[in-house]
Amino acid sequence: MPLFNNQDSTEIGTICRAFDQMIISIRAYIEEIWEKAAHESELREKEMQMRELYTAAQLRALQNQINPHFLFNTLNTGAQLAMIEGADRTCSFMEQVADFFRYNISHKGQTASIDEELALIDNFVYIMKVRFGDRFEFVKNVSKEKHPQLLPRMILQPLVENCIKHGFDGVKNHVELSVEVEVYVTKITVSDRCPGFSPELREYFLSMTPEAKAGQKMPGASPEENASGTGTGLLNVISRLRLYFHRYDVFDILENEGGGTKFLLRIPNV
């Protein structure tokens, strides 16, 4: 709105000058509001960038916890095989190990498709079969259709490993991996038939972050298990899934039908 700029000494001139001053004050107030809004928008954008960087750093830090432990186990197994048998089986084993680590090293991004994760499981189960023989059986129920949905890399392997090792108490364990595509989510389950999680243990894994659990003992675990960091892989999986999808219902721990534990992943179909 333009100013009147009326300099008359009449009553109308006085009113016009007062009105002009009000307009000037309103303009100044509006400009101040716009400046504050722009500054707040800039701060919000920087905050979002910092959150994204922090989330990426957390994802990298959590993912790096898994690899060294498994690397030493597999290399030790390969060395043992090389000592006790011929080169053919050792060669096949080492090829599977190489494929496993090639997947983890060659992918520059933090994500993979469900199909890529399932292919990695085939390598991993082969390695575990060489290492543990007939102490477990593994069944994979997956349709032949493509599963391109993305999730953080190295998510399924720790779950399968947890179920395989869970049953080493003198009873042959049955481990099953299933993929079911629904309208909005793809459900992935990894289950065993060994004694399941207690309510306290389930609460321990689902309630807090790994940082909050750093000084806590895992319910029902032996001093040796607590000292060795047993459960780190599972905490890693839960944290990375929640960070990546920004939702808490993406992962759950259920009781398997007929006994045992079932890990349930709900991957959004986007």
Side-chain angles (χ1 to χ4, degrees):
M1 179 178 293
L3 300 177
F4 287 98
N5 291 319
N6 191 326
Q7 303 299 325
D8 293 345
S9 58
T10 62
E11 184 177 352
I12 292 177
T14 301
I15 294 174
C16 288
R17 288 191 294 274
F19 195 82
D20 286 349
Q21 187 61 44
M22 181 181 68
I23 292 175
I24 293 172
S25 298
I26 292 174
R27 286 177 178 175
Y29 182 65
I30 291 174
E31 289 178 358
E32 183 180 352
I33 290 176
W34 275 110
E35 289 177 358
K36 287 184 178 179
H39 182 63
E40 290 176 358
S41 177
E42 184 181 355
L43 288 177
R44 283 195 298 269
E45 184 177 352
K46 289 183 178 180
E47 183 181 3
M48 290 178 62
Q49 292 175 348
M50 289 299 296
R51 286 182 178 179
E52 291 175 357
L53 290 172
Y54 179 66
T55 298
Q58 285 182 302
L59 286 171
R60 287 193 296 271
L62 288 168
Q63 187 165 327
N64 287 338
Q65 292 177 15
I66 292 179
N67 303 334
H69 177 72
F70 181 67
L71 173 62
F72 288 117
N73 284 339
T74 52
L75 291 178
N76 287 338
T77 303
Q80 292 170 8
L81 282 174
M83 293 173 60
I84 64 177
E85 65 181 13
D88 289 344
R89 189 180 175 196
T90 303
C91 179
S92 178
F93 174 80
M94 296 310 295
E95 285 178 348
Q96 295 289 335
V97 173
D99 288 342
F100 182 91
F101 287 109
R102 187 178 298 112
Y103 170 87
N104 198 22
I105 295 172
S106 63
H107 287 68
K108 295 181 180 179
Q110 299 295 322
T111 61
S113 67
I114 292 176
D115 284 331
E116 290 173 322
E117 285 286 290
L118 292 174
L120 181 71
I121 292 302
D122 292 336
N123 292 125
F124 178 73
V125 170
Y126 176 89
I127 295 169
M128 291 294 98
K129 279 290 186 180
V130 172
R131 185 179 176 195
F132 296 112
D134 295 329
R135 295 172 69 182
F136 73 95
E137 59 181 356
F138 179 77
V139 176
K140 188 169 71 170
N141 297 317
V142 182
S143 62
K144 294 183 179 180
E145 64 183 295
K146 299 293 184 180
H147 301 91
Q149 298 89 341
L150 296 179
L151 69 167
R153 288 193 300 113
M154 295 290 288
I155 283 293
L156 298 184
Q157 178 267 325
L159 300 180
V160 173
E161 181 178 16
N162 186 288
C163 287
I164 290 174
K165 293 183 176 180
H166 193 199
F168 291 165
D169 56 358
V171 179
K172 186 173 183 177
N173 192 8
H174 176 89
V175 180
E176 188 168 335
L177 187 154
S178 300
V179 178
E180 180 182 359
V181 180
E182 298 185 349
V183 177
Y184 300 107
V185 299
T186 294
K187 289 185 177 180
I188 304 175
T189 59
V190 182
S191 61
D192 61 38
R193 294 180 183 173
C194 297
F197 277 47
S198 66
E200 294 78 14
L201 193 57
R202 179 180 182 274
E203 178 70 14
Y204 169 83
F205 280 110
L206 295 180
S207 63
M208 295 182 296
T209 64
E211 292 81 1
K213 294 181 174 69
Q216 294 195 18
K217 294 183 179 180
M218 190 166 61
S222 67
E224 292 78 12
E225 289 174 323
N226 277 308
S228 65
T230 299
T232 298
L234 184 53
L235 292 173
N236 182 296
V237 166
I238 297 171
S239 296
R240 287 194 290 135
L241 283 169
R242 289 174 174 176
L243 281 168
Y244 182 77
F245 290 108
H246 302 288
R247 52 191 294 179
Y248 270 66
D249 63 348
V250 70
F251 186 90
D252 204 352
I253 302 174
L254 308 174
E255 183 176 351
N256 196 22
E257 296 180 6
T261 300
K262 177 184 291 185
F263 300 121
L264 170 61
L265 286 71
R266 301 179 181 93
I267 306 302
N269 294 330
V270 293

